[in-house]
Amino acid sequence: MSTTTPGSTARRAHEGRVLGALRDGPLSRAELARRVGLSRTTLSETTAELLRRGAIVVLDTDAATRRGSGRPAERLALDPGSGQYLGVDFGHRRVRAAVADATRETVASGVEHYADDTPWSERLDLAFALIDRLASEHGLHFGELQAVGIGVVGPYGGRRPDGAPVPWARRSAPDDVRGAFADRFGAPVVVDNNTRLAALAEAVSQPESATDLLYVRLSDGVGGGLVVSGRIGTGAHGFAGELGHVSVDPAGTRCRCGKRGCLETVASAPAVLAACRAQGVEVHTLDDLAAVVATSDPAAEGVLREVGAAVGRVLAMAALTLDPDEVVIGGEIVHVAPVIVEQAAATLRYELHPLPAAEPVLVRPGRLRDTDGALGALAAAFHLSPLLAGYPHPEAGRRGALREVLPESLPPRLRRAQ
Amino acid sequence: MSTTTPGSTARRAHEGRVLGALRDGPLSRAELARRVGLSRTTLSETTAELLRRGAIVVLDTDAATRRGSGRPAERLALDPGSGQYLGVDFGHRRVRAAVADATRETVASGVEHYADDTPWSERLDLAFALIDRLASEHGLHFGELQAVGIGVVGPYGGRRPDGAPVPWARRSAPDDVRGAFADRFGAPVVVDNNTRLAALAEAVSQPESATDLLYVRLSDGVGGGLVVSGRIGTGAHGFAGELGHVSVDPAGTRCRCGKRGCLETVASAPAVLAACRAQGVEVHTLDDLAAVVATSDPAAEGVLREVGAAVGRVLAMAALTLDPDEVVIGGEIVHVAPVIVEQAAATLRYELHPLPAAEPVLVRPGRLRDTDGALGALAAAFHLSPLLAGYPHPEAGRRGALREVLPESLPPRLRRAQ
C-alpha cells in the first residue's frame, strides 16, 4: 500500500467520472468520452484499469449492432457482481448487512441475531460471517469495496475542541469496530448512530432526496435524527436528535432520564399501550392495538390523537429550529395506528403556519422498516467513496450527503486522497 | 479576465498556503519554505506574484538581525493595508460595513443610517459610499479583495428541489445586491440572513470557535440562528432558527403571526416591558428597566425569571434537537437584565440533564452588539476566499465554516476555481 500521490488522486477522480457516467447505463467508448470530457489517452488508461480490477465489464457488442447503430461498438458497463459499498447496522439483538453495487443499487442484504449482552468481538465475527454468506449466495466479490458505513446503538460522534472523541463515543462503539472493518476491507469506514442513519436513509429513500429532514422514531424508547443541508446532524457531543427527552408535560410521568413528562413517557410504544389501558382499552402488544384500531374504538382514538398532538408539538419546535423539507415519523406503531401521524401532521401544520412556505412541509410515516439503519449506513458509505474524491457527483447536491470524513477513519493509503 | 485554468487553480492553492502561513506572523523565506512544503522555485514564483499584487510585503531585514539570527534574512509579512475581506450588514435602518485584512483582523468598520423605506438602489449607493470612506480614512486598498459577505433582514436562502431559489429569497434581498457587489469588487459574494450571520459571528468570536451553536436574539422581535458542524444552518426554505414562533403558552397572547403564546409574545423587549407594567412596574424603555433592575425590584425580578424560563424551555428543545456546544442569548435586553440569561441557563441545564455531556453546554449572553451581522458576514466571507480553494485551512475544521458556495455567487473568472 504505497502512499497516495497527487497522480493517483487524479486517477481516482478520472475513475470517479467514468463510474459516475456508467451509473446511468452502458455506454460505448465514444459516448463515454463525450460524457466524461477526458482525453482519449486518459480515458483509455482509466477504463483499462477499471476493467483489470473488475469494476466495469465489456458488454456484448452485438447489442449495439442490433439497436441499429451503423457499426458494432464495444459498450462498457458497471460490473453488477462487484460489491462496491457495504452498510452494516449493529442493533441491540441483531446485525443487518446490505451490499450495493457501483450503481448504488442494493444487491444483497441479510441479518444475524444475537443476545443483547453479546460482546463486540462476537458481534464482529457474526457480521463478517454474514457478509461472507451474502457474498457467496449472491456471487459477489469485494475486491474493490469503495466504502463501509456502520450503524451502532447509542450516542456516537462528537469531538472535543482538541479533536479527541468524547468519552461515550468510545464506550458505545469501540474504535476497533471501525478498525476491524477498515482492516478487513481496506476501505474507508464511517460510523454513526443507527437512528441518525435511519434519518439519512429516509431522506434518500425517494427520487428527490430531502436535504433537510427531521426524523423521530416511536419504539421501545423515542429517538430521532436529523439531516441538515444533506448531511447527518451529529451535534457537538454526538447527541443531536434526542427528541425523546423534550418535555411535553412538566407535571407528567417520571421518565427513565429523571425528568418528568418527556416525549418518551407519552409516545413510546409501551407508553401508548399503557395510556390506552388507563382508558379501559386492554391492549398489551401492537397486535392488540391493531385489532382495537380496526374497530374504531373512540377511547383508543382519543389516546392516539393525544399522542399524535404531543409528537406534533415536539416536531414543530424542532421544525421551527431546522426548517426541514420533510418530517418523518418512524417506528412500527405508526403503521399500526396511522392516526398518530395524521394528528402530528395537523398539529405541526398549525404550529408552522407563520412560515410562508411555498409548499407545506411533508409529514409522513417512515417507509423503511428494520432495514433503515443498514440502508442509512450504505447511504453514508456512498459519500465516503474515494473514487468520487475531487469530482462532484451529479447528485451530490441532492443526495443526502454526510458529515465530514474523519481522516482517522481512512486506511493510510486513502488518507491523502480525501 | 481569462478563464481559470487548472494551472491557476494550483497557483491559488499555493498562494493560499503562503498567506495561511503568514497569518501567524512574519516569516523568512526559509521558514516559509519549511511551513508550506513547496519547492524553492514554486515558492519564489508564488511570493513574487503576491508581492507584485501587494498582498504581502518585505519587512525590514534588520529586525531579523536584531533578534540574534546569524545573518540578516529578508522576512515576508501580510500587507496590513490590503483589504482582503468585506462584510456588509443591511439592517432595517442602517448599513454597517467591516473590512478585514489577510490576517482576518478587522481593520475598519463604520455605519450609515437610512429610513426603513429606502429602496435597495439607494441602500447600495450608501453602502458603496461608506466603503469608499472607510478605504480612504484607513488607507485601505481593495485591489485583491478575496470575498464579500452580506447580511440582510428576513428569510434568505433555501432552494427548491430543482435548484431554483424559493420565491421570498428573491423578495427579501434582490439578486442585484449580490450582483452589484460581485460586479464592483470582482470577488465571490455570499448572502444570508443577518441573525444567522450573527450566530456565526458569535461562534467564531473566541479563540476556540464553537462548531455547533444555538443563537436566539431578544429584540423588537425574537429571532434566531444556528451553526451546525461549523456551517450556518439555513433550512430547506431559508427559515432555520425561527425560535420566536415556538409556542410557550397555547393560551397566551395573540402573536403577530396568528398563533397564540409564541416565544416572541413573551420574550421580545416590548413584551418584557409590557409584562413588567402588568405587574405594576412602570417601565417603557430598556433604560427604565435598567434602573428598576438596579433596585432589585422583586416584581420585576419575578417577571424576568419567567421570561428566562420560557427562553430556556425553547432553547432546551432546540438543544435536544441540535446538541450544540454553546447557546448564546443576544439582544440589548440581556445586558440590561442578566437574570434572563441566568434563569434560561438554569432551565436549560435541568432540561438537558439526561444527556451525560462531559462538559455542560455553555449558555452565555451575546458578546457582540450591533456589529454582529457585519462580523458574521466577514466570517462568511473568510470561507469563500478563493485563495484557500484546494487547500484546507488549518482552522477549517474549527472556525465556523459556511454553507456551500452557490456557484452563481461567483463572478465567471472564479467559478472554476471553487
Side-chain angles (χ1 to χ4, degrees), chain B residues 238-258:
Chain B
F239 283 102
E242 276 291 350
L243 301 176
H245 297 287
V246 174
S247 292
V248 292
D249 178 6
T253 309
R254 180 73 72 178
C255 180
R256 65 190 166 106
C257 78

Side-chain angles (χ1 to χ4, degrees), chain B residues 4-351:
Chain B
T4 303
T5 63
S8 68
T9 303
R11 182 171 57 71
R12 282 214 174 76
H14 298 155
E15 292 173 1
R17 291 200 200 192
V18 169
L19 292 176
L22 291 177
R23 285 188 50 221
D24 297 332
L27 294 172
S28 72
R29 286 175 185 276
E31 288 163 339
L32 195 55
R34 278 196 297 277
R35 290 279 288 274
V36 299
L38 297 175
S39 73
R40 286 260 157 188
T41 312
T42 305
L43 181 60
S44 169
E45 285 168 7
T46 305
T47 54
E49 171 65 16
L50 290 170
L51 284 165
R52 189 188 66 71
R53 279 161 28 200
I56 64 174
V57 292
V58 176
L59 286 193
D60 183 358
T61 57
D62 285 351
T65 317
R66 272 201 302 274
R67 281 165 64 220
S69 122
R71 52 188 230 282
E74 186 183 76
R75 291 193 310 156
L76 299 173
L78 298 175
D79 176 7
S82 174
Q84 297 272 346
Y85 302 95
L86 178 60
V88 182
D89 176 20
F90 289 98
H92 286 291
R93 286 177 290 274
R94 60 107 185 92
V95 56
R96 183 174 282 280
V99 183
D101 64 17
T103 70
R104 303 193 178 181
E105 285 294 315
T106 306
V107 291
S109 81
V111 67
E112 282 289 343
H113 296 269
Y114 45 67
D116 61 5
D117 59 353
T118 305
W120 271 101
S121 59
E122 290 179 35
R123 293 182 185 205
L124 285 170
D125 288 344
L126 283 165
F128 290 143
L130 168 61
I131 293 161
D132 287 345
R133 178 164 65 76
L134 290 175
S136 111
E137 285 175 5
H138 296 266
L140 295 169
H141 46 98
F142 290 112
E144 282 300 316
L145 192 64
Q146 297 306 322
V148 182
I150 297 180
V152 295
V153 171
Y156 193 86
R159 300 258 129 190
R160 289 177 186 283
D162 61 6
V166 291
W168 55 85
R170 200 171 287 273
R171 280 205 307 277
S172 61
D175 280 352
D176 55 356
V177 172
R178 184 197 293 274
F181 277 87
D183 287 349
R184 187 169 182 108
F185 296 104
V189 177
V190 64
V191 185
D192 211 323
N193 166 270
N194 50 16
T195 307
R196 288 201 291 258
L197 289 172
L200 180 65
E202 291 285 353
V204 302
S205 67
Q206 48 212 343
E208 289 289 349
S209 299
T211 58
D212 294 83
L213 182 137
L214 184 55
Y215 178 75
V216 66
R217 179 191 276 159
L218 313 180
S219 184
D220 288 350
V222 172
L226 31 137
V227 175
V228 178
S229 303
R231 309 193 305 170
I232 290 180
T234 300
H237 316 92
F239 283 102
E242 276 291 350
L243 301 176
H245 297 287
V246 174
S247 292
V248 292
D249 178 6
T253 309
R254 180 73 72 178
C255 180
R256 65 190 166 106
C257 78
K259 296 199 299 179
R260 283 187 180 280
C262 293
L263 182 64
E264 184 164 293
T265 68
V266 170
S268 68
V272 174
L273 295 174
C276 286
R277 292 195 297 274
Q279 297 300 313
V281 183
E282 273 306 311
V283 287
H284 296 273
T285 65
L286 291 183
D287 285 345
D288 295 346
L289 184 63
V292 168
V293 166
T295 67
S296 303
D297 180 277
E301 161 113 8
V303 169
L304 296 171
R305 287 220 173 261
E306 277 182 37
V307 170
V311 172
R313 285 196 302 276
V314 171
L315 288 173
M317 299 168 340
L320 283 163
T321 306
L322 290 170
D323 182 23
D325 41 5
E326 204 163 283
V327 174
V328 177
I329 308 175
E332 208 47 43
I333 197 168
V334 303
H335 300 287
V336 168
V339 67
I340 292 176
V341 179
E342 276 168 41
Q343 180 60 50
T347 300
L348 190 108
R349 267 196 301 278
Y350 168 74
E351 295 288 342

